Amino acid sequence: MYSLQGQYSYGNSDLVEDREKYRTGGFHPVHLKDEFKDSRYRVIHKLGYGGFSTVSLARDRNEDRYVALKITAAAETAEAKELRILEYLESHRSTHPGKKRVINLFDYFVIEGPNGTHACFVFPIVGPSVTQMIDSSKDRRLATAVAKGVSSQIGQGLAYLHSAASFMEHFDSWSEDEIYRRLGKPYCDHMFTRSGDDPGPEAPKAVVELLNMAALGPQYLADDIIFIDLGASFFANTSWLRIEPPESYCAPEIIFDRNAGLASDIWSLGCTILEVCHGFELFTRGFLGPNHDDILARMAQVLGPLPAEWWKAWESRHGWFDEDGALKIYSETGMPGFPLGDLDDEAAAIGKVQNLDSDGESKGSEGTMTPLDEQSIPQADRLLSRESAALADLLSKMLRYSPQARIHVEVCQHKFLRASGLNG
């Protein structure tokens, strides 16, 4: 995100990493045609970036294949947490079907740069992200069979990680010119300091926009989902580290107690499954700045009042709800909180949580979501009624305030995920 006090000017593209990360302890400056590890890996495009790394499309000259070259920020290198996890998973002998959903590490090495020492991971190319596929689909909705298959495979991979590669057909045989013809040439946005000078050695001369892997036709893609980034993972028997999940997928116990566990992943998985199946984020952040208020307001609107301890701790709740947890009517002059959008479409799509108390425990015998009228959903994109009911039932077991009340590894055995539209 651009900072008015930052070192670099904003530039012409929003589809690039945070330029202010190019500093001591931050990102390594990478340019197109840069070479690494004795010229073995040659950079030809940008695949992705995050808060702690950048990922380039590179050609492995030794193996004559394309790879994803992930270079972490220097401040993250000393801990080598991701490397330990990847090595552990590689050595972990398991017949769990979800093992094939986790990416393999091809190579690892360390480089020195103007911003410090950086860990470099080399992974196989695995095609577009789920988000890219959703964004490129009509109305941000995947076909029903594909959405169910994607959800099933994500659940399978998570179940494996809790218990302990995809490839692109024909891709490696393409020349660089063929890559550019099919996926577009790199767009370079030149870097300048706020004073108008060229950046120093700590930053690249230009940042590169991401290529859109979803532009490839389905004939080039395998029907497999892969977990590709374990940089924010941690072993279950260790204390949780400082990296939070994205707010829209962040479980309430993380927001209030800074306490994450296996059940927190189940919450995030439920949010992901909903987005895969219906194309929207259930808990979306609005415009209230760097806090969780609008996320919490949406949670309370969908799931009911938070448990008493959290409800009391959430000081901004009065902007949306009265003391009984009833949603206030928004008034431009009388309500300090940001107005919440109408829930009719979402409720029609996923159903409404019924028979749950404030801790997420079932009051009745089932404790499931009851799907509401689906007439607001276009017929062509609508889940079959029984599938909608099954999805609603699954989400009601995953999106519970109490971590102990959420479904765990048995999530993969749920009726909605058992019938998959992709290869299992």
Side-chain angles (χ1 to χ4, degrees):
M1 182 178 291
Y2 172 58
S3 169
L4 292 176
Q5 280 69 48
Q7 180 179 357
Y8 301 105
S9 60
Y10 184 55
N12 297 318
S13 176
D14 293 328
L15 303 177
V16 296
E17 63 272 26
D18 182 355
R19 294 166 174 82
E20 301 304 324
K21 294 282 188 178
Y22 289 103
R23 52 178 169 71
T24 301
F27 291 162
H28 178 72
V30 178
H31 300 87
L32 295 173
K33 300 184 179 180
D34 275 358
E35 296 180 344
F36 295 88
K37 201 174 184 182
D38 299 324
S39 299
R40 175 174 178 175
Y41 303 108
R42 182 175 184 268
V43 173
I44 69 167
H45 217 310
K46 172 75 69 59
L47 283 173
Y49 59 85
F52 304 96
S53 64
T54 61
V55 185
S56 299
L57 175 64
R59 186 70 180 183
D60 181 349
R61 288 170 165 165
N62 287 14
E63 298 294 335
D64 196 26
R65 64 189 177 188
Y66 290 101
V67 294
L69 174 61
K70 175 180 179 178
I71 303 179
T72 65
E76 303 299 311
T77 299
E79 191 176 18
K81 174 171 57 68
E82 185 173 8
L83 177 63
R84 294 200 306 271
I85 289 175
L86 288 166
E87 289 179 336
Y88 171 77
L89 293 174
E90 181 67 23
S91 64
H92 183 230
R93 297 184 179 277
S94 174
T95 59
H96 195 291
K99 184 176 176 65
K100 65 181 179 181
R101 306 290 173 213
V102 179
I103 201 164
N104 296 316
L105 178 64
F106 279 168
D107 195 7
Y108 174 83
F109 57 96
V110 174
I111 60 172
E112 296 290 336
N115 295 325
T117 303
H118 304 265
C120 301
F121 299 84
V122 181
F123 298 109
I125 298 296
V126 293
S129 68
V130 172
T131 299
Q132 285 179 322
M133 296 302 294
I134 292 173
D135 288 342
S136 64
S137 61
K138 180 183 177 182
D139 299 327
R140 299 195 79 246
R141 290 184 180 180
L142 300 177
T144 298
V146 174
K148 291 185 65 177
V150 168
S151 300
S152 177
Q153 292 187 26
I154 293 173
Q156 198 176 65
L158 183 62
Y160 164 66
L161 290 175
H162 280 190
S163 73
S166 176
F167 62 92
M168 297 190 10
E169 300 171 0
H170 314 301
F171 191 75
D172 288 331
S173 64
W174 295 347
S175 67
E176 289 185 21
D177 286 341
E178 288 175 305
I179 292 286
Y180 295 149
R181 187 170 66 250
R182 290 181 167 95
L183 294 172
K185 291 184 178 181
Y187 173 77
C188 298
D189 197 10
H190 291 279
M191 294 271 286
F192 297 99
T193 63
R194 290 176 60 79
S195 63
D197 298 328
D198 289 334
E202 68 277 4
K205 298 183 185 303
V207 285
V208 181
E209 277 193 359
L210 308 185
L211 58 78
N212 180 16
M213 298 293 270
L216 287 170
Q219 67 270 28
Y220 297 115
L221 303 177
D223 289 338
D224 290 311
I225 297 298
I226 295 290
F227 284 57
I228 63 170
D229 188 354
L230 301 180
S233 303
F234 59 96
F235 290 103
N237 60 348
T238 62
S239 59
W240 180 52
L241 301 177
R242 60 184 175 83
I243 305 172
E244 273 193 11
E247 287 182 310
S248 295
Y249 310 93
C250 192
E253 65 270 15
I254 299 177
I255 295 175
F256 284 101
D257 303 329
R258 305 287 295 176
N259 181 29
L262 301 183
S264 307
D265 283 344
I266 298 298
W267 178 283
S268 299
L269 176 60
C271 296
T272 301
I273 289 174
L274 184 279
E275 185 176 0
V276 165
C277 291
H278 287 290
F280 62 83
E281 295 178 353
L282 181 58
F283 306 119
T284 305
R285 197 173 145 234
F287 304 96
L288 296 184
N291 58 53
H292 297 282
D293 285 340
D294 34 11
I295 295 289
L296 295 172
R298 197 63 150 180
M299 285 184 189
Q301 185 187 20
V302 175
L303 304 178
L306 297 161
E309 182 179 355
W310 292 344
W311 188 252
K312 183 178 181 180
W314 181 30
E315 296 180 354
S316 301
R317 68 185 183 277
H318 301 295
W320 292 271
F321 303 94
D322 62 25
E323 282 304 318
D324 295 326
L327 183 66
K328 292 181 178 179
I329 303 298
Y330 176 70
S331 166
E332 290 186 3
T333 57
M335 183 177 174
F338 190 83
L340 292 173
D342 188 63
L343 262 185
D344 288 350
D345 288 346
E346 288 94 331
I350 69 168
K352 188 80 171 173
V353 171
Q354 301 290 332
N355 300 322
L356 298 179
D357 64 22
S358 61
D359 290 323
E361 301 286 358
S362 172
K363 290 181 180 178
S365 59
E366 297 295 329
T368 62
M369 287 170 138
T370 303
L372 302 183
D373 182 20
E374 291 187 327
Q375 296 306 311
S376 61
I377 305 174
Q379 180 67 38
D381 296 325
R382 191 183 306 167
L383 287 169
L384 296 176
S385 59
R386 65 175 179 273
E387 292 173 333
S388 181
L391 173 60
D393 180 75
L394 173 63
L395 293 178
S396 77
K397 293 176 169 62
M398 302 177 78
L399 300 178
R400 296 188 175 185
Y401 288 134
S402 170
Q404 293 75 26
R406 294 173 204 152
I407 192 172
H408 285 283
V409 292
E410 67 270 22
V411 64
C412 292
Q413 301 304 315
H414 191 275
K415 55 189 176 183
F416 179 77
L417 296 182
R418 284 200 303 266
S420 169
L422 299 179
N423 297 331

